[in-house]
């Protein structure tokens, strides 16, 4: 199991003195999947909990991924909408990989909103947010609801279209925001004339080429991504960086990042909330 994360450092927007200094927010998170027993659920039990249905997603290492309706009414086309802190998202309950919203990042999205609120007190509006590996743009929709302009980068055009739908679902014109279908590693060169107040770096654990193991590839590429994105960060801005590989201890991950070289400093570590806490033995699920 990963080594326990160190205590959170005091949050600050000030950095060490240098020709180009900025603050940095780092987070390590790891998803947890807990298989449930269908014997514990029945139509009457979910009705008493004001639920229509329960879907079970199997993501067990070495076995095919699958998703099925356990109990209740089948949602039409497995698609529905959810509400998170006043923001709506479209989700697909039948998807074997992602239903469109990673619930383990809910508290991180709240943290991002609080950082934007803090930055808005001393900066010219609108604030600019760069969301890399943006998936369906959940961070960006929250940021846009609070007045920020967002640049969304993902290699999947399908997820970017889904992200635009999330903007529309919240009555936000996605045309006022930027969507780039590209490899995140190439984007800093395209955006080098722009600086951002806040950057989201949330790569999936399987990033990399087919020839390399996910752990080795992400472990090697993460410091490079931080270095390249730091050059797009405005002075006093934040990078929220996430590592979803349970096999990398927190201290090892932090020590690999080029903080001093890029004029960055660790501001705070965001811990996993109780719904997705990591425990020894969870390596078989996730």
């Amino acid at each position: 199991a990963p080594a326990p994360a160190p205590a959170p450092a005091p949050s600050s927007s000030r950095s060490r003195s240098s020709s180009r200094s900025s603050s940095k927010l780092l987070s390590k998170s790891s998803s947890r999947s807990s298989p449930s027993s269908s014997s514990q659920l029945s139509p009457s039990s979910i009705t008493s909990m004001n639920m229509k249905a329960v879907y079970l997603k199997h993501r067990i290492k070495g076995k095919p991924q699958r998703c099925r309706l356990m109990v209740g009414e089948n949602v039409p086309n497995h698609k529905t909408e959810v509400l998170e802190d006043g923001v709506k998202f479209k989700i697909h309950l039948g998807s074997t990989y992602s239903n469109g919203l990673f619930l383990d990042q809910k508290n991180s999205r709240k943290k991002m909103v609080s950082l934007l609120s803090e930055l808005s007190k001393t900066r010219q509006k609108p604030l600019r947010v760069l969301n890399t590996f943006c998936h369906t743009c959940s961070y960006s929709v929250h940021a846009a609801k609070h007045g920020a302009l967002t640049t969304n980068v993902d290699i999947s055009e399908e997820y970017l279209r889904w992200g635009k739908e999330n903007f529309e679902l919240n009555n936000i014109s996605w045309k006022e925001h930027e969507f780039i279908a590209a490899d995140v590693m190439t984007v800093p060169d395209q955006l080098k004339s722009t600086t951002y107040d806040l950057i989201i770096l949330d790569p999936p654990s399987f990033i990399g080429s087919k020839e390399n193991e996910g752990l080795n590839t992400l472990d090697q590429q993460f410091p490079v991504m931080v270095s390249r994105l730091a050059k797009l960060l405005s002075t006093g801005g934040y990078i929220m960086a996430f590592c979803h590989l349970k096999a990398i201890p927190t201290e090892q991950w932090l020590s690999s990042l080029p903080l001093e070289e890029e004029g960055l400093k660790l501001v705070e570590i965001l811990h996993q909330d109780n719904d997705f806490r990591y425990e020894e033995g969870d390596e078989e699920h996730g």
Side-chain angles (χ1 to χ4, degrees):
S11 179
S12 170
S13 61
R14 294 178 61 84
S15 308
R16 68 181 182 84
S17 176
S18 67
S19 59
R20 186 187 173 283
S21 60
S22 53
S23 297
K24 177 181 182 62
L25 190 82
L26 293 175
S27 168
K28 181 179 176 68
S29 65
S30 54
S31 299
R32 182 191 183 201
S33 175
S34 300
S36 301
S37 170
S38 59
S39 63
Q40 297 174 328
L41 295 171
S42 66
S44 60
S45 67
I46 68 168
T47 299
S48 66
M49 292 184 283
N50 198 28
M51 295 190 296
K52 289 186 176 181
V54 174
Y55 282 72
L56 176 64
K57 180 184 295 185
H58 293 266
R59 295 186 62 197
I60 302 176
K61 186 176 181 181
K63 297 183 179 181
Q65 296 184 19
R66 59 192 179 95
C67 184
R68 64 184 178 88
L69 175 70
M70 285 185 64
V71 64
E73 303 174 14
N74 210 348
V75 178
N77 299 317
H78 304 293
K79 296 181 179 180
T80 189
E81 298 173 3
V82 297
L83 185 67
E84 178 188 84
D85 296 327
V87 179
K88 298 177 181 178
F89 295 104
K90 291 186 175 182
I91 63 170
H92 191 311
L93 295 171
S95 172
T96 56
Y97 166 60
S98 166
N99 61 22
L101 185 66
F102 290 112
L103 299 180
D104 61 329
Q105 294 288 59
K106 178 181 179 179
N107 288 345
S108 300
R109 288 187 283 271
K110 284 185 176 181
K111 181 65 179 181
M112 178 204 67
V113 170
S114 70
L115 290 174
L116 292 176
S117 177
E118 171 193 325
L119 290 169
S120 67
K121 296 176 182 177
T122 57
R123 296 185 175 223
Q124 184 178 356
K125 299 178 182 179
L127 298 177
R128 301 188 66 89
V129 174
L130 173 60
N131 187 4
T132 64
F133 302 97
C134 67
H135 193 232
T136 60
C137 305
S138 59
Y139 279 98
S140 298
V141 179
H142 273 287
K145 287 277 283 189
H146 288 80
L149 291 178
T150 68
T151 297
N152 305 277
V153 183
D154 200 284
I155 201 168
S156 169
E157 293 186 4
E158 177 184 356
Y159 281 137
L160 290 176
R161 286 194 295 270
W162 194 337
K164 292 177 181 179
E165 292 176 358
N166 282 331
F167 272 80
E168 292 177 342
L169 189 61
N170 291 275
N171 299 315
I172 302 172
S173 174
W174 59 263
K175 295 181 180 180
E176 298 178 5
H177 301 260
E178 191 172 8
F179 297 81
I180 302 173
D183 183 344
V184 170
M185 296 291 279
T186 67
V187 167
D189 291 334
Q190 300 179 40
L191 302 175
K192 57 186 177 183
S193 61
T194 307
T195 58
Y196 296 88
D197 301 288
L198 191 145
I199 297 174
I200 306 293
L201 175 56
D202 187 16
S205 58
F206 54 81
I207 181 177
S209 64
K210 295 180 180 179
E211 290 76 19
N212 294 309
E213 292 292 333
L215 169 61
N216 294 334
T217 302
L218 182 59
D219 197 28
Q220 294 167 1
Q221 290 191 11
F222 214 113
V224 177
M225 289 188 287
V226 168
S227 181
R228 293 184 180 181
L229 291 175
K231 294 174 175 56
L232 303 178
L233 188 67
S234 62
T235 302
Y238 292 98
I239 295 177
M240 294 184 71
F242 302 87
C243 179
H244 297 279
L245 286 176
K246 297 185 286 289
I248 302 181
T250 300
E251 290 293 348
Q252 176 183 331
W253 178 61
L254 291 175
S255 66
S256 72
L257 302 179
L259 303 186
E260 185 173 352
E261 297 90 329
E262 297 299 336
L264 303 171
K265 72 175 183 180
L266 175 64
V267 176
E268 184 179 352
I269 294 176
L270 306 180
H271 298 285
Q272 203 72 42
D273 64 34
N274 287 335
D275 286 339
F276 295 91
R277 63 190 181 279
Y278 174 83
E279 296 178 355
E280 187 174 359
D282 284 354
E283 294 88 344
E284 294 303 315
H285 310 283

